[in-house]
Amino acid sequence: YLRALEGAIGAAGPPRVLICGTADYAMLARVIAAFRGREIEPAITVLDLCETPLMLNRWYAGRVSCQLETVRHDVLEYPESGAFDAICTDALIGRFPPERRPALAAVLRTLLRPGGLLITMCRLRPGSAGARVEFSPEQALTLRAAALRAAIEARHLLPVEPEALALQVDHYARTHYTYAVGTPDELRGPLERAGLRVEHLSAAPMIPDEVHGVSGPSIRKTGDYAGIVARRP
């Protein structure tokens, strides 16, 4: 992400960046770091269906004095056009079944200005393209137990009882899912058909930080991840 964002630095004022879908403020931190390393202050918008990550991003932006707009909206219905110099997202395509990915790619192209960049990564699951990936019962129990331990340790910081929080985590694990991406070409195809020009596509193994034995659909684990940079001509 840091290297790819160099291509979004132009001479026509601060770059406008869209972070499309996010679980936390990690992507925001990377975008800020990429530009502030060159003494540039970007105008950043975070778009998500859920208010929780938007709240987290506003909290982080306040701590680092970043210009930020947050929008709670479905990306497929987001009424912007040609607005952004770059779109950064992680694993977004896996939130959509294969038949809806062309529509997503078309919307992302529309949101970019001419010359704008789409920068994204996605975990690859060879041999399971398009399959719905859910938490197994064992994974759900492990996630709930890890959340409960963390909540007990941080009890003095939380406005909720650890057991109540664990119940919410259990509900999340029972209802959350993604759709598998099997090969890098499953990323390339919809983007090129939408009119984006793929400038970089690679797949490499990633070794994530230890997450207390927790695994699941959207939790990073050792394996190949595809990275792609595509430009709107």
Side-chain angles (χ1 to χ4, degrees), residues 22 30 58 64 151 205 220:
T22 182
R30 282 159 175 75
R58 289 193 295 269
V64 299
R220 290 202 184 278

Side-chain angles (χ1 to χ4, degrees), residues 142-143 146 149 208-215 219-221:
T142 301
L143 180 65
R149 288 194 301 271
D209 295 334
E210 176 59 35
V211 196
H212 306 295
V214 174
S215 60
I219 300 173
R220 290 202 184 278
K221 61 176 291 186

Side-chain angles (χ1 to χ4, degrees), residues 194-210:
L196 292 165
R197 183 175 67 245
V198 175
E199 297 187 344
H200 171 85
L201 177 59
S202 62
M206 179 181 292
I207 301 176
D209 295 334
E210 176 59 35

Side-chain angles (χ1 to χ4, degrees), residues 2 31 35 38 40-41 76 107 114 127 144 170 193 221:
L2 297 178
V31 171
F35 289 108
R38 294 163 178 80
I40 295 171
E41 287 294 326
L76 295 181
V107 168
R144 184 187 190 284
D170 183 62
R193 288 191 290 274
K221 61 176 291 186

Side-chain angles (χ1 to χ4, degrees), residues 135-160:
F135 282 91
S136 70
E138 295 77 14
Q139 289 173 328
L141 285 172
T142 301
L143 180 65
R144 184 187 190 284
L148 180 59
R149 288 194 301 271
I152 291 172
E153 292 173 3
R155 184 193 298 268
H156 63 291
L157 298 174
L158 299 174
V160 62

Side-chain angles (χ1 to χ4, degrees), residues 11-176:
R16 291 194 65 195
V17 180
L18 175 67
I19 298 173
C20 187
T22 182
D24 51 37
Y25 55 81
M27 185 67 76
L28 176 62
R30 282 159 175 75
V31 171
I32 293 170
F35 289 108
R36 285 190 174 172
R38 294 163 178 80
E39 299 184 345
I40 295 171
E41 287 294 326
I44 304 173
T45 300
V46 178
L47 173 71
D48 202 283
L49 274 173
C50 179
E51 179 60 29
T52 300
L54 300 179
M55 178 270 293
L56 291 171
N57 277 268
R58 289 193 295 269
W59 174 84
Y60 183 78
R63 290 179 66 88
V64 299
S65 300
C66 164
Q67 179 183 348
L68 179 70
E69 177 186 12
T70 59
V71 180
R72 186 176 182 182
H73 213 288
D74 185 338
V75 62
L76 295 181
E77 300 173 359
Y78 188 40
E80 292 282 352
S81 179
F84 297 100
D85 298 286
I87 298 173
C88 293
T89 185
D90 181 64
L92 180 67
I93 196 169
R95 300 295 295 148
F96 293 80
E99 63 271 17
R100 298 189 68 197
R101 291 172 185 170
L104 172 65
V107 168
L108 294 176
R109 179 192 180 278
T110 299
L111 293 174
L112 289 168
R113 65 163 178 79
L117 294 176
L118 170 67
I119 307 164
T120 189
M121 291 186 69
C122 186
R123 179 180 170 187
L124 300 177
R125 292 180 168 91
S128 59
R132 182 161 151 161
V133 183
E134 302 172 310
F135 282 91
S136 70
E138 295 77 14
Q139 289 173 328
L141 285 172
T142 301
L143 180 65
R144 184 187 190 284
L148 180 59
R149 288 194 301 271
I152 291 172
E153 292 173 3
R155 184 193 298 268
H156 63 291
L157 298 174
L158 299 174
V160 62
E161 288 300 314
E163 282 292 345
L165 183 61
L167 286 175
Q168 295 180 28
V169 171
D170 183 62
H171 174 74
Y172 165 82
R174 286 187 285 107
T175 58
H176 179 73

